[in-house]
Amino acid sequence: MPEEKRAGGCLVSPGTVGAVVLAAGAGSRMGHRPKCLLELNGVPLIQRLLMALSVAGIDEHVLVLGHHAERIEPAVRDFTVNVVRNAVPDAGQVSSLRLGLRALSSKVDTVLIALTDLPLLDAPDIVDLLDAYRMRPEGTLVVQPHVEGLPGNPVVFCSKVREEILGSNAMVGCKQWQVDNPCKVHRWTSNNPHYRVDVDSPQDLESLAVLTGLRLRWPIDLQDPM
């Protein structure tokens, strides 16, 4: 068989893909509630994301929890996912990212970093992103969607970037690596708002309802008291 083309030391083909899902935050802007449990049509966002990743063909799934871990874990018990707890989630998202990267197996060629607050993200969006990664310019190692000139999520990168992040000091995550290696980042232009529309605050929930007609709701035990 002919050797597969490589870009900057990484396979152009995604190969084995592992997803790191970050859900360790306190949700302080949401009244200290886990926003990944917000429901769209009765399905929590965390479940929607894990289903989308699975349908898109992601091979491994790592979920990093911290704050609210006891409340979130029951929502994912029926999924094939490696749950990792960040004992110090207040150390920031970089600490959760690095835990997730370490939890992926050594056979992973491509890493996808996913956030749980993108309610419109679905399997076709993930497939399109992986296609963009497969067709990325030679020499680039990271692909991030950009919508109307603004960065979106998820972000995809090769195993070499994973190794370099974990080989750096504890303050280095994907964002810091991109700042240090701008020529190795492909800013993939897309007109798909699914990569940008997130929900970080109650105002975002209202904006989503106005924009799409979709309304996210808290499960009964997390609803505001009447």
Side-chain angles (χ1 to χ4, degrees), residues 33-57:
R33 291 175 288 187
K35 55 189 175 183
C36 70
L37 294 183
L38 279 163
E39 296 177 351
L40 179 58
N41 297 326
V43 181
L45 295 184
I46 183 62
Q47 292 184 3
R48 292 176 61 86
L49 175 58
L50 292 175
M51 286 188 284
L53 293 170
S54 180
V55 171

Side-chain angles (χ1 to χ4, degrees), residues 37-39 71 217-223:
L37 294 183
L38 279 163
E39 296 177 351
R71 179 61 182 81
R217 302 185 187 280
W218 293 104
I220 292 176
D221 66 305
L222 294 177
Q223 290 178 6

Side-chain angles (χ1 to χ4, degrees), residues 82-189:
N82 179 12
V83 177
V84 178
R85 287 203 186 190
N86 185 348
V88 285
D90 289 333
Q93 193 178 86
V94 168
S95 67
S96 294
L97 168 69
R98 293 172 68 94
L99 281 173
L101 293 180
R102 290 192 187 95
L104 291 171
S105 75
S106 59
K107 68 181 180 182
V108 167
D109 302 299
T110 299
V111 179
L112 182 147
I113 306 300
L115 307 179
T116 58
D117 60 357
L118 299 172
L120 304 181
L121 190 74
D122 57 19
D125 302 326
I126 296 168
V127 170
D128 288 346
L129 179 59
L130 290 175
D131 283 344
Y133 175 81
R134 178 174 55 83
M135 296 183 290
R136 69 193 185 276
E138 186 171 358
T140 57
L141 308 181
V142 175
V143 172
Q144 182 170 30
H146 275 61
V147 182
E148 296 182 350
L150 298 173
N153 284 288
V155 177
V156 183
F157 52 83
C158 73
S159 58
K160 182 178 180 181
V161 175
R162 172 194 179 192
E163 293 166 3
E164 291 185 0
I165 289 174
L166 292 179
S168 301
N169 70 68
M171 301 302 293
V172 175
C174 184
K175 289 181 180 179
Q176 292 75 19
W177 189 95
Q178 290 185 68
V179 170
D180 291 339
N181 299 273
C183 294
K184 297 180 182 179
V185 179
H186 175 45
R187 293 166 176 80
W188 174 54
T189 300

